[in-house]
Amino acid sequence: MADLFIDGEWTGTAAGGRREVINPFDGSVIRSVDEADATDADRAVRAARHAFDSADWAYTPTRRRADILYRVHELLLRDTEEIARTETQDTGKTLTEARTDVADVAAAFRYFAEIADKDAGRVVDAGPDVLSRVVHEPVGVCVLIAPWNYPLLQASWKVAPALAAGNTFVLKPSEITPLSTIMMVRLIEEAGAPRGVANLVLGSGATVGAALTAHPEADLVSFTGGLATGRAIMASAASGVRTTALELGGKNPNVIFADADFDAAVDHTLEASFLHQGQVCSAGSRLLVQDSLHDRFVTALAARADRIRLGDGRDPDTESGPLSSAEHRAKVEAYIELGRSEGARLVTGGHRPDDPGLSRGFFLLPTVFADCDRTMRIVQEEVFGPVVTVERFRTEDEAVALANDTRYGLAAAVWTGDASRAQRVANRLRHGTVWINDFHPYLPQAEWGGFGQSGVGRELGPTGLREYQETKHIYQNLRPAPSGWFKG
Ligand code: NAP
């Protein structure tokens, strides 16, 4: 079965390229997929261009587009189990988490269906002889690039608003996790998206991704991934002055005051640090604990980290799976060595599990480093693995200063029993999302994105739709007459 979807047809690649998709639990090949090249990328962008310029889709009544999104939502619910099992095999995450992801993907489609026709622009008061309207229109051809940690979820935050707004798109998932995305595009086809509106190409970032993001016919690039790639995409978009939205990494502070609910804070800190092996852009990988609570908190956290059951994501007893690939594990291991050499104290973890049943997978033990400080690279750089660093603070001011001492600014959390302090600290944190006495929840209705080098733009919420719209001012003189500006 062909895996690229271009101009309404499932098709192979021009050059016949293939790639094996690997199960990170045991290194086995799940299946091979078509591997596109720059020629296929060009074909897909031109198909999206043609579909947009033929204008039927862009001028389809918004309600009709919303109906397609509602249908995708229903189809995702129908196929949840199959998609979740595929996502688990492809990413290594647990089935429970993959099911939650599919539910969240469906919710994103429903949300953008709901808000698609809620803002028809506005009429501007310019006097009785003028009709002046500000309207929102689709941007055009959108290139959408998604990462491997939440392959389907991150793609849906782009695809759903792009369709709701009347754009056409070319989507490229990560080369290592393309399988659930193929399923989603099949559902978009089944839901009735017209020919050429939705296009899918698979292939490496270096070839296909770069060809798509630099394509002169692309009007917008929306990218979720790492900082270095984001910089390269922004630079390549500059030549075409293309709208560029970037959802990049994070090094997210999780601030625990001594008056926090101890059990809740430890429990959520475990999840903040080690959910999906810490391969979460908003992972609470930088833990800040008030001095008087520090030792007790770190001891409890390490004890719970040691009890996390690693295994096959399909096994209901598994609490955490492997890292996504051998290459990525090697990168995380290099950071663990760096942490040691910088003088951080390894409290637990720091190596691969001894269990022979896990030896073929890309596993690492949950790792806690204490005695860290803000000057260390392990504290400042995104590790994107099951590694949490711990720093101490004494005062509220010090906690805020440390939490804001980062080039990133995606998410942060504050744990305290003092309601006033919670609000004061939340107000001062320079991060796109701040949780109080919680970690990780996000809502499709609420904007998601980063301050600083965590990105440009926002996904979800009304702003997440606006990213895919141009704004136009239409001015009509209702009483045309000579202006008399020039006298001759
Ligand atoms: P990545 O290496 O930057 O790759 C992301 C996507 O970009 C993949 O599809 C990749 O393709 C593609 N790509 C790579 N080089 C490219 C290029 N030169 N031009 C165009 N596309 C290119 O990131 P990742 O390792 O997959 O994802 C992890 C990163 O994503 C972390 O930093 C994480 O924090 C971030 N993230 C952010 C958010 C958020 O909401 N802010 C959410 C999730 C993840 P291939 O993989 O096929 O090479």
Side-chain angles (χ1 to χ4, degrees), residues 145-150 154 157 172-176 203-206 208-210 213 223-227 229-230 232-233 247-250 280-282 382 384 410 448 454 459:
I145 310 265
W148 48 258
N149 62 335
Y150 286 86
Q154 298 300 330
W157 293 3
K172 191 200 92 62
S174 170
E175 60 195 334
I176 63 171
S204 83
V208 174
T213 52
F223 166 79
T224 300
L227 181 54
T229 318
I233 286 174
E247 293 291 336
L248 308 177
V280 183
C281 53
S282 53
E382 184 185 42
F384 218 54
L410 186 59
W448 176 263
S454 284
E459 296 194 308

Side-chain angles (χ1 to χ4, degrees), residues 179-229:
L179 301 181
S180 60
T181 308
I182 298 171
M183 297 169 100
M184 180 176 75
V185 172
R186 287 194 181 280
L187 298 186
I188 292 170
E189 179 193 19
E190 184 180 342
R195 184 186 187 97
V197 165
N199 299 275
L200 172 70
V201 287
L202 313 182
S204 83
T207 54
V208 174
L212 289 173
T213 52
H215 201 291
E217 296 291 351
D219 297 305
L220 173 150
V221 174
S222 178
F223 166 79
T224 300
L227 181 54
T229 318

